Protein backbone atom coordinates (compact mmCIF):
# COMPACT_ATOMS: atom_id res chain seq x y z
CA UNK A 1 0.00 0.00 0.00
CA UNK A 2 2.87 2.40 0.73
CA UNK A 3 5.25 0.94 -1.86
CA UNK A 4 5.95 4.33 -3.43
CA UNK A 5 6.88 5.89 -0.10
CA UNK A 6 8.93 2.86 0.88
CA UNK A 7 10.78 2.96 -2.46
CA UNK A 8 11.87 6.53 -1.80
CA UNK A 9 10.11 7.62 -4.97
CA UNK A 10 12.27 5.41 -7.20
CA UNK A 11 9.38 4.32 -9.38
CA UNK A 12 6.33 6.06 -10.75
CA UNK A 13 3.17 5.81 -8.74
CA UNK A 14 -0.29 6.12 -10.16
CA UNK A 15 -3.40 6.37 -8.03
CA UNK A 16 -5.97 3.60 -8.18
CA UNK A 17 -9.07 4.73 -10.01
CA UNK A 18 -12.35 3.04 -9.17
CA UNK A 19 -15.88 3.61 -10.38
CA UNK A 20 -18.81 3.65 -7.98
CA UNK A 21 -22.42 4.32 -8.96
CA UNK A 22 -23.40 5.59 -5.50
CA UNK A 23 -24.07 9.33 -5.46
CA UNK A 24 -22.64 11.85 -3.03
CA UNK A 25 -19.17 12.92 -2.01
CA UNK A 26 -19.51 10.98 1.23
CA UNK A 27 -19.83 7.79 -0.83
CA UNK A 28 -16.45 8.55 -2.42
CA UNK A 29 -14.99 8.90 1.07
CA UNK A 30 -16.67 5.66 2.14
CA UNK A 31 -15.33 3.85 -0.93
CA UNK A 32 -11.80 5.12 -0.28
CA UNK A 33 -12.01 3.86 3.30
CA UNK A 34 -13.32 0.48 2.15
CA UNK A 35 -10.56 0.20 -0.46
CA UNK A 36 -7.89 1.03 2.13
CA UNK A 37 -9.33 -1.64 4.44
CA UNK A 38 -9.27 -4.18 1.60
CA UNK A 39 -5.65 -3.35 0.82
CA UNK A 40 -4.77 -3.72 4.49
CA UNK A 41 -6.24 -7.21 4.75
CA UNK A 42 -4.60 -8.16 1.44
CA UNK A 43 -1.18 -7.29 2.90
CA UNK A 44 -2.01 -9.63 5.77
CA UNK A 45 -2.52 -12.58 3.45
CA UNK A 46 -6.18 -12.51 2.44
CA UNK A 47 -6.26 -13.17 -1.30
CA UNK A 48 -8.66 -10.73 -2.93
CA UNK A 49 -8.37 -10.29 -6.68
CA UNK A 50 -8.02 -6.66 -7.82
CA UNK A 51 -10.55 -7.28 -10.61
CA UNK A 52 -13.06 -8.58 -8.07
CA UNK A 53 -12.61 -5.38 -6.05
CA UNK A 54 -13.10 -3.22 -9.15
CA UNK A 55 -16.18 -5.19 -10.17
CA UNK A 56 -17.64 -5.00 -6.68
CA UNK A 57 -17.21 -1.25 -6.51
CA UNK A 58 -18.61 -0.75 -10.04
CA UNK A 59 -21.70 -2.88 -9.38
CA UNK A 60 -22.59 -1.78 -5.86
CA UNK A 61 -26.25 -0.87 -5.40
CA UNK A 62 -27.71 0.40 -2.16
CA UNK A 63 -31.50 0.77 -2.42
CA UNK A 64 -32.89 3.73 -0.54
CA UNK A 65 -29.60 5.67 -0.37
CA UNK A 66 -29.97 8.78 -2.49
CA UNK A 67 -31.96 6.81 -5.00
CA UNK A 68 -33.28 9.09 -7.73
CA UNK A 69 -36.67 7.80 -8.82
CA UNK A 70 -37.31 10.63 -11.28
CA UNK A 71 -35.59 13.87 -12.24
CA UNK A 72 -38.56 16.09 -13.25
CA UNK A 73 -39.94 16.86 -10.82
CA UNK A 74 -37.17 15.52 -8.59
CA UNK A 75 -38.15 12.51 -6.51
CA UNK A 76 -35.38 11.10 -4.33
CA UNK A 77 -35.62 8.51 -1.59
CA UNK A 78 -33.06 8.17 1.15
CA UNK A 79 -33.19 6.37 4.46
CA UNK A 80 -31.18 9.00 6.34
CA UNK A 81 -31.52 7.66 9.86
CA UNK A 82 -29.38 9.90 12.03
CA UNK A 83 -28.07 13.45 12.20
CA UNK A 84 -24.91 12.75 10.17
CA UNK A 85 -26.73 10.92 7.38
CA UNK A 86 -29.37 13.69 7.25
CA UNK A 87 -26.56 16.23 6.79
CA UNK A 88 -24.99 14.10 4.05
CA UNK A 89 -28.40 13.90 2.37
CA UNK A 90 -28.78 17.68 2.49
CA UNK A 91 -25.30 18.24 1.01
CA UNK A 92 -25.92 15.70 -1.74
CA UNK A 93 -29.28 17.28 -2.57
CA UNK A 94 -27.49 20.64 -2.88
CA UNK A 95 -24.91 19.09 -5.22
CA UNK A 96 -27.34 17.24 -7.51
CA UNK A 97 -30.37 19.54 -7.35
CA UNK A 98 -29.06 23.08 -6.72
CA UNK A 99 -32.10 24.72 -8.33
CA UNK A 100 -34.36 23.21 -5.66
CA UNK A 101 -32.78 25.14 -2.78
Amino acid sequence: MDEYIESGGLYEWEPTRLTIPLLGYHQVENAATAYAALQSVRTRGLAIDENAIRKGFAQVFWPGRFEILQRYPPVVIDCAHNRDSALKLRLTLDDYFPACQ
Side-chain angles (χ1 to χ4, degrees):
M1 189 157 56
D2 295 321
E3 293 89 3
Y4 178 78
I5 293 169
E6 292 167 2
S7 77
L10 296 178
Y11 68 88
E12 288 191 40
W13 173 82
E14 182 153 334
T16 300
R17 301 201 187 280
L18 300 169
T19 300
I20 60 166
L22 301 176
L23 302 177
Y25 181 75
H26 63 289
Q27 296 296 3
V28 174
E29 292 175 327
N30 291 343
T33 301
Y35 186 77
L38 288 167
Q39 295 308 310
S40 179
V41 298
R42 286 173 85 189
T43 63
R44 289 169 174 75
L46 184 62
I48 306 172
D49 182 68
E50 186 69 21
N51 288 328
I53 293 172
R54 290 181 181 285
K55 183 178 178 182
F57 275 82
Q59 293 180 352
V60 67
F61 176 65
W62 200 350
R65 295 315 301 252
F66 206 81
E67 191 173 348
I68 299 173
L69 300 181
Q70 71 180 38
R71 291 203 170 268
Y72 303 103
V75 177
V76 175
I77 58 171
D78 192 284
C79 61
H81 59 284
N82 59 37
R83 175 178 239 153
D84 184 60
S85 60
L87 174 61
K88 299 292 195 296
L89 171 59
R90 174 58 197 202
L91 294 172
T92 305
L93 283 167
D94 291 347
D95 287 343
Y96 286 89
F97 298 98
C100 295
Q101 295 182 26

